[in-house]
């Protein structure tokens, strides 16, 4: 009993002394709290803080597998994004992508550098794989920037020497395709000048000019354009339903197409990555440029449809066997007649006879605003070429915006023939008569 009382008194005394700042620990082996109540830091006590262990950047960010495979499984694209410019710009050439990978692999994380940088101060590099997977790494002020903080790095200077469209002045429009043939087309323009330039809107007919001045002006506008930025939200900021193609054709038949979606140049340099949309400066004149001056638009004075366009005339000659080695390979007809929609796929003699019949339809010289049901006749010749004829009601489209009225009796016969062939696509007898018009 006396021993228990003595223990309780000792405990009470210890509590009182602790309240007065003179705590004497009960458990042996512990350090007393200083009289001023402050806790000693490792530095105050002579102890050392943990030393940061340097390691390769690829290992530090968990890219060991990527570091071992990027030569064989090279990313299809490398993009840069900066908070200052606010858009992501890709490159697709293997040399730049491998150079960036090599630069990152040569980097070493050497020490902690403080809090992570704000997003607007970061520069982020993103590697995109063929399957769509992405690897991103960010830097700020020369430091590796992560959610956990910033880290000082050494090496990898080559990463900052890689040019990107919109961030570097090293790119022109033709460089954006990362295609040696398009680059050669631009570089050889003086020695191998295109014989024509065409413009096609929303997949319609191509309006073409062989005027050297028109060809040169269209090329010069593209060549002189400056890349302002990349559009990262095309579904929000451009009209994806509006497309315009500019087609330059060389004397050997080779052609190069430059496509605009909305107001942006749309470039697909890699099919796995998809299209990239570029806002250009210095290109404002191109959309309003007259490919065919008003004075040179052919005035249709009436006659067979073959008088409308050269490609229709060639198809007619091929259908009648008048061109050596060139025949009608097939015809596709997409139609709506009397509210009934369908399509035909014609071949052989049926296709040739159908082309003979269609191209014999006559039309008047006055243009009209078309109305009525649509019939589209797509002709494929044996060399892969061939016209597409757009009928709306009793009118045919010569080019975008120009429609000529056809003989109404001939159009009625055409609709009858199509409905008959819809029952039997090989019914040649349906094509043996003549149109009434």
């Amino acid at each position: 009993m006396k021993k228990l009382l003595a223990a309780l008194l000792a405990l009470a005394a210890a509590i009182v002394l602790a309240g007065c700042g003179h705590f004497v620990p009960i458990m042996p082996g512990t350090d007393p709290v200083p009289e001023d109540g402050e806790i000693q830091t490792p530095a105050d006590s002579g102890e050392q803080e943990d030393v940061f262990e340097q390691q390769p950047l690829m290992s530090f960010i968990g890219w060991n597998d990527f570091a071992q495979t990027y030569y064989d499984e090279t990313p299809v694209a490398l993009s840069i994004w900066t908070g200052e410019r606010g858009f992501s710009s890709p490159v697709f050439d293997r040399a730049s992508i491998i150079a960036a990978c090599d630069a990152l692999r040569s980097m070493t994380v050497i020490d902690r550098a403080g809090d992570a940088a704000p997003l607007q101060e970061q520069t982020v590099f993103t590697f995109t794989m063929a399957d769509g997977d992405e690897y991103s790494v960010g830097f700020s002020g020369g430091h590796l920037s992560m959610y956990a903080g910033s880290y000082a790095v050494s090496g990898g200077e080559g990463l900052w020497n890689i040019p990107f469209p919109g961030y570097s002045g090293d790119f022109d429009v033709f460089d954006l395709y990362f295609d040696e043939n398009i680059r050669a087309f631009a570089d050889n323009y003086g020695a191998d000048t295109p014989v024509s330039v065409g413009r096609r809107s929303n997949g319609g007919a191509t309006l073409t000019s062989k005027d050297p001045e028109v060809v040169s002006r269209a090329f010069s506008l593209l060549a002189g354009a400056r890349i302002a930025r990349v559009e990262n939200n095309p579904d929000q900021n451009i009209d994806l339903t509006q497309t315009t193609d500019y087609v330059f054709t060389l004397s050997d038949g080779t052609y190069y197409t430059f496509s605009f979606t909305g107001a942006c140049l749309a470039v697909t340099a890699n099919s796995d990555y998809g299209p990239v949309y570029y806002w250009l400066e210095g290109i404002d004149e191109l959309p309003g440029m007259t490919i065919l001056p008003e004075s040179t638009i052919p005035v249709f004075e009436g006659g067979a449809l073959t008088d409308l366009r050269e490609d229709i005339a060639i198809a007619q000659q091929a259908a009648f066997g008048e061109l050596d080695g060139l025949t009608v390979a097939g015809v596709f007809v997409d139609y709506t007649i009397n509210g009934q929609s369908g399509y035909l796929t014609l071949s052989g003699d049926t296709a040739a006879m159908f082309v003979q019949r269609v191209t014999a339809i006559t039309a008047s010289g006055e243009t009209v605003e078309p109305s009525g049901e649509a019939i589209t006749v797509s002709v494929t010749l044996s060399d892969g070429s061939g016209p597409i004829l757009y009928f709306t009601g009793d009118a045919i489209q010569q080019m975008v915006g120009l429609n000529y009225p056809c003989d109404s009796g001939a159009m009625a016969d055409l609709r009858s023939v199509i409905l008959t062939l819809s029952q039997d696509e090989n019914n040649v007898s349906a094509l043996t008569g003549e149109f009434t018009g």
Side-chain angles (χ1 to χ4, degrees):
M1 185 65 178
K2 290 181 178 180
K3 291 182 179 180
L4 177 59
L5 181 59
L8 292 173
L9 291 173
L11 178 60
I15 293 173
V16 172
L17 290 174
C20 298
H22 297 283
F23 173 65
V24 177
I26 299 175
M27 299 298 294
T30 59
D31 296 326
V33 177
E35 292 186 6
D36 58 8
E38 294 182 357
I39 303 298
Q40 289 180 308
T41 64
D44 296 332
S45 62
E47 297 180 9
Q48 294 184 347
E49 297 184 14
D50 292 338
V51 177
F52 185 85
E53 183 178 348
Q54 299 184 13
Q55 56 181 305
L57 181 141
M58 288 281 205
S59 298
F60 187 78
I61 62 177
W63 288 15
N64 285 329
D65 291 342
F66 178 84
Q68 295 171 6
T69 60
Y70 68 80
Y71 276 106
D72 296 323
E73 299 177 13
T74 305
V76 298
L78 164 66
S79 303
I80 189 173
W81 178 93
T82 69
E84 179 182 3
R85 300 297 300 277
F87 61 82
S88 179
S89 178
V91 293
F92 299 91
D93 61 303
R94 189 173 188 272
S96 293
I97 295 171
I98 292 296
C101 293
D102 288 344
L104 289 174
R105 191 160 63 93
S106 71
M107 284 185 179
T108 301
V109 182
I110 58 177
D111 204 354
R112 297 185 182 89
D115 295 335
L119 186 63
Q120 64 268 20
E121 297 179 4
Q122 290 187 0
T123 297
V124 179
F125 295 90
T126 299
F127 298 90
T128 303
M129 311 303 292
D131 61 3
D133 284 349
E134 294 183 338
Y135 295 82
S136 296
V137 58
F139 296 89
S140 179
H143 293 161
L144 173 67
S145 182
M146 303 180 70
Y147 290 113
S150 297
Y151 298 85
V153 296
S154 64
E157 289 80 5
L159 181 64
W160 306 99
N161 296 328
I162 298 172
F164 293 86
Y167 287 90
S168 165
D170 296 339
F171 288 82
D172 63 19
V173 162
F174 310 108
D175 291 323
L176 300 176
Y177 294 82
F178 293 87
D179 184 321
E180 60 182 12
N181 293 323
I182 292 180
R183 184 67 262 170
F185 159 73
D187 293 341
N188 297 333
Y189 180 83
D192 192 7
T193 303
V195 296
S196 69
V197 60
R199 180 165 57 208
R200 178 174 56 243
S201 298
N202 299 323
T206 302
L207 186 63
T208 302
S209 174
K210 296 182 179 180
D211 185 337
E213 292 186 5
V214 175
V215 175
S216 178
R217 184 55 183 160
F219 176 85
S220 297
L221 288 169
L222 281 173
R226 298 176 300 280
I227 301 156
R229 58 188 174 90
V230 182
E231 178 53 64
N232 294 147
N233 299 293
D235 56 331
Q236 301 175 23
N237 297 324
I238 61 177
D239 188 350
L240 297 177
T241 67
Q242 298 297 316
T243 62
T244 304
D245 303 323
Y246 295 88
V247 184
F248 293 86
T249 303
L250 303 180
S251 57
D252 64 358
T254 303
Y255 61 90
Y256 296 94
T257 303
F258 302 89
S259 300
F260 286 79
T261 298
C264 291
L265 180 69
V267 179
T268 301
N270 181 277
S271 58
D272 292 322
Y273 190 90
V276 181
Y277 301 93
Y278 296 93
W279 289 96
L280 304 180
E281 295 177 345
I283 205 78
D284 294 347
E285 182 184 335
L286 187 61
M289 183 178 175
T290 302
I291 297 296
L292 275 181
E294 291 296 330
S295 61
T296 63
I297 291 181
V299 177
F300 183 62
E301 298 297 343
L305 296 188
T306 52
D307 295 327
L308 284 173
R309 288 205 312 263
E310 180 182 355
D311 56 352
I312 299 178
I314 293 173
Q316 185 187 54
Q317 290 175 292
F320 279 99
E322 298 173 358
L323 298 175
D324 292 338
L326 191 63
T327 60
V328 176
V331 175
F332 180 82
V333 182
D334 187 351
Y335 65 86
T336 299
I337 299 174
N338 300 330
Q340 175 185 337
S341 296
Y343 64 88
L344 300 174
T345 304
L346 309 178
S347 60
D349 291 340
T350 308
M353 293 178 68
F354 187 85
V355 172
Q356 293 174 14
R357 293 288 300 271
V358 171
T359 56
I361 295 176
T362 59
S364 67
E366 296 182 0
T367 59
V368 295
E369 290 295 326
S371 63
E373 296 176 321
I375 299 174
T376 301
V377 178
S378 177
V379 180
T380 302
L381 303 181
S382 55
D383 66 351
S385 66
I388 302 177
L389 289 69
Y390 300 96
F391 295 94
T392 303
D394 289 342
I396 183 173
Q397 180 176 266
Q398 148 80 336
M399 59 186 70
V400 176
L402 290 180
N403 289 269
Y404 293 100
C406 299
D407 179 87
S408 59
M411 289 303 301
D413 284 349
L414 176 62
R415 286 188 280 269
S416 177
V417 166
I418 291 173
L419 290 178
T420 301
L421 289 174
S422 68
Q423 304 300 317
D424 179 5
E425 292 183 349
N426 296 314
N427 186 1
V428 178
S429 63
L431 298 162
T432 56
E434 293 185 1
F435 287 118
T436 60

